Amino acid sequence: MLNTHDLSPLVRRWSKHADLSDEDRGAILALPFTRKSFGKDAYIVREGQETTDCSLILKGFAYRQKLLRDGCRQIISFHIPSEFVDLQNGVLGMADHNVQSLNRCEMAMVPRSALMDLVNARSTVRLAMWVDTLIDASIFREWVVNVGRRDSRSRLAHLLCELAFRLERIGADKGGAFDFPLTQEQLADATGLTAVHTNRTLQSLRRDGLIQLTSGNLSVLDWKGLREAGDFDELYLHHQL
Amino acid sequence: MLNTHDLSPLVRRWSKHADLSDEDRGAILALPFTRKSFGKDAYIVREGQETTDCSLILKGFAYRQKLLRDGCRQIISFHIPSEFVDLQNGVLGMADHNVQSLNRCEMAMVPRSALMDLVNARSTVRLAMWVDTLIDASIFREWVVNVGRRDSRSRLAHLLCELAFRLERIGADKGGAFDFPLTQEQLADATGLTAVHTNRTLQSLRRDGLIQLTSGNLSVLDWKGLREAGDFDELYLHHQL
DNA sequence: CGTTAATTTGAGACCATTCAATTTCGGTGG
DNA sequence: CCACCGAAATTGAATGGTCTCAAATTAACG
């Protein structure tokens, strides 16, 4: 489905953020990059690390996380193919959190300098990249709301809505079903719950016929019901841009 | 302390984000703006609203929030003088959340177009503004961790650390004491707790001699203790940039 | 096909919530 | 200057959602 050999997934994504010209598209495709493979649970970026490359997912899933002093982990976002996992580091120059692969990942490592040269030279590409970092921020805001004020059922429903929505948008769905390699422990760390309670809550969503979730595969059986359960409104994803 | 008559607080802030030239500073100070006053609890920006101006706080405090369907409120960030409350809207063009004043606020309303013209013309100013939006995003990430994985005591301690740290940085402290117009209900909505439990938890922080918090005034009595209680590490504020 | 990871189940404990009432504080007008 | 008022802070007691700990079952994988 998605091309994993060049940066065309990025062109497609950024085309939705700004009105790119053919030259802009060509310039993005001309970005230098090296391909890099990561096994399951590998660290792609570490907190405190200086940035040399920005990492785009060609294949696989990744997530960002922070560790607390007591060893607790909070997952901050999930990332799917065609997304950068650390775009802000290209501008800030240093990572303030960790990024890990969720399963086997194929990444395109784009040198920070080449990326910054490109966006400095091309204002429309710059706008697209800036919008990308701002949509990231909008998602973080929604996650604050999610873990701060929703109960366990809504939290999980909301998270599943978001992921299904984003997966659908990149064409990763096969008729309402998605590859979904998240463990319940990872869902727990993303929603601020425990794995045990996540399990019970997922059962409740299944029992109500909203989702089907088994071994690496998610199907949304009742979109309307899941949206309502999760109090989901996609405005924050700025899809229409 | 802070000048409330021109945009020099913004110049001071952005000078920490990028190496601005005298011309850059002059161009920022030359930005057109209108002053606007907001009473307590006034809406400065509403979700879904198209952006015409970006709002910088000259005096007073503000906060961003989202409302849930059931009427619950989650506060997403607090803002203090010298900060924009909706900078990302200058790029995105539409608000995805609400912004309200916390007390009486004096704002500088900068036309979106003038701001975008400036940053398109001046790459260093642009970097400073971009960094500003990215630090925002970094704070949201830390808040996800805060409400997701810390207990009530740590949450509140962390929030107080962040605010004291940021207030100190703009020179708003009077020997460890700060104007602090947040009600316990607002602290609760920011930490994902109830007002009642926030009250009890604040008492515990007071009892342990970490803070003094009464009627609009916060003093940090034991910085080290408060940092530890809140698991606070200021890396995410990218202060050193 | 054995071994480890992931999911599922049960029961008890606890942190935070809910609801309600009381006290304190800040501001206002007489 | 004091009486009054509404907002904010505080207290108590009961409830409940989520956690903890532990064990059992199932799925994934070399």
Side-chain angles (χ1 to χ4, degrees), chain B residues 83-104:
Chain B
E83 297 182 348
F84 275 106
V85 298
D86 56 356
L87 194 53
Q88 78 287 335
N89 294 346
V91 181
L92 287 174
M94 174 154 67
D96 54 48
H97 59 279
N98 306 299
V99 183
Q100 279 184 277
S101 57
L102 207 90
N103 50 10
R104 166 162 283 282

Side-chain angles (χ1 to χ4, degrees), chain B residues 36-84:
Chain B
K36 199 165 168 185
S37 251
F38 291 88
K40 195 169 140 86
D41 293 325
Y43 271 82
I44 299 170
V45 181
R46 277 186 191 277
E47 187 172 341
Q49 184 182 324
E50 292 204 12
T51 308
T52 56
D53 303 282
C54 289
S55 316
L56 179 89
I57 305 182
L58 296 172
K59 191 163 183 301
F61 285 50
Y63 61 97
R64 315 201 204 179
Q65 50 95 337
K66 286 196 178 194
L67 297 171
L68 273 66
R69 203 181 7 170
D70 65 4
C72 268
R73 179 177 72 163
Q74 175 69 40
I75 291 180
I76 289 159
S77 66
F78 290 107
H79 292 283
I80 62 178
S82 82
E83 297 182 348
F84 275 106

Side-chain angles (χ1 to χ4, degrees), chain A residues 120-139:
Chain A
N120 277 318
R122 300 201 153 264
S123 64
T124 311
V125 178
R126 174 201 315 151
L127 177 64
M129 171 168 162
W130 200 340
V131 166
D132 213 343
T133 63
L134 291 174
I135 292 176
D136 255 13
S138 177
I139 295 176

